[in-house]
Amino acid sequence: MATPQSCETMNILGQYLDDHEGRAAREEDADNRWMQERAGIDPEERLRRWDAWLRKTLAKTLRWPANADAALRLQCQCANELTRLVKQLRGRGWLLDGEALAGHVKACIAPIAEQQRAGKVGDFWPYFCAAVRRYVGANAEEIQFHARRTGADEGAQSMAAIMGALGIAGALKSKGKSLTELIADRQPAPKRPAKKPPCTPDAPRLPGL
């Protein structure tokens, strides 16, 4: 027979699980929305959510150093390296958006994770960079087909924009910039100026100065 104390503990645990599941569901809904929509969402908010999604995906997919600081630094380096992949897509005119772009990031890092689990990755960083940098070229045909089929091809979008400007029926409405464009066009954060050494007014002056 359950005691009042055990019942209270079960109720607290049940409430915690319900709250956790509800929060996870809300976060998933938010992720799905920014992944699937362009219009009506602030571009900066889309970038912030992309950054958070990317860090979370890297953290749970790949293996990292045991030291938390070292792991975080390496995850940041990997996130920056994946921006190269996005810029390669942008350079080829494939303007994949949210979910489609995320799918290619997952497809790029999944084989790396598999090789890590098999113990076949010795020096992680150069292995990771090489895998990321060859992904677009190695999968170009498939990516191009996907982009054209989903209307994420720059040529098709340019034609749709021209048709829309001319008022031609059936033209696609502009949805704003794709996530590929937002990431590739984002300006890097300005570097902090190096601190000047403190002045020493009491130091002796050299002759001629």
Side-chain angles (χ1 to χ4, degrees), residues 26 65 135 145 167 196 200:
R26 289 192 298 272
Y135 178 82
F145 176 79
K196 294 182 179 179
T200 52

Side-chain angles (χ1 to χ4, degrees), residues 82 127 150 162 164 194:
L82 284 165
Y127 184 93
T150 57
I162 293 172

Side-chain angles (χ1 to χ4, degrees), residues 2 6 17 23 32 75 85 103 134 140 147 155 169 178-179 186 193 196:
S6 64
L17 292 174
R23 185 167 61 253
N32 289 336
Q75 287 168 12
L85 183 152
R134 67 171 173 259
S178 67
L179 195 54
R186 177 163 55 176
K196 294 182 179 179

Side-chain angles (χ1 to χ4, degrees), residues 140-159:
E141 187 174 347
E142 178 187 347
I143 300 171
Q144 183 182 51
F145 176 79
H146 184 197
R148 289 180 176 175
R149 181 172 58 84
T150 57
D153 180 77
E154 188 172 32
Q157 291 193 12
S158 298
M159 181 59 67

Side-chain angles (χ1 to χ4, degrees), residues 110-186:
I112 304 173
E114 185 177 346
Q115 293 300 305
Q116 278 188 316
R117 288 192 295 269
K120 296 181 180 180
V121 179
D123 197 347
F124 172 80
W125 178 241
Y127 184 93
F128 180 88
C129 291
V132 170
R133 294 177 190 186
R134 67 171 173 259
Y135 178 82
V136 172
N139 298 277
E141 187 174 347
E142 178 187 347
I143 300 171
Q144 183 182 51
F145 176 79
H146 184 197
R148 289 180 176 175
R149 181 172 58 84
T150 57
D153 180 77
E154 188 172 32
Q157 291 193 12
S158 298
M159 181 59 67
I162 293 172
M163 292 173 66
L166 296 174
I168 298 176
L172 296 174
K173 294 183 179 180
S174 173
K175 296 181 180 179
K177 283 189 174 184
S178 67
L179 195 54
T180 294
E181 293 169 280
L182 293 177
I183 296 168
D185 297 344
R186 177 163 55 176

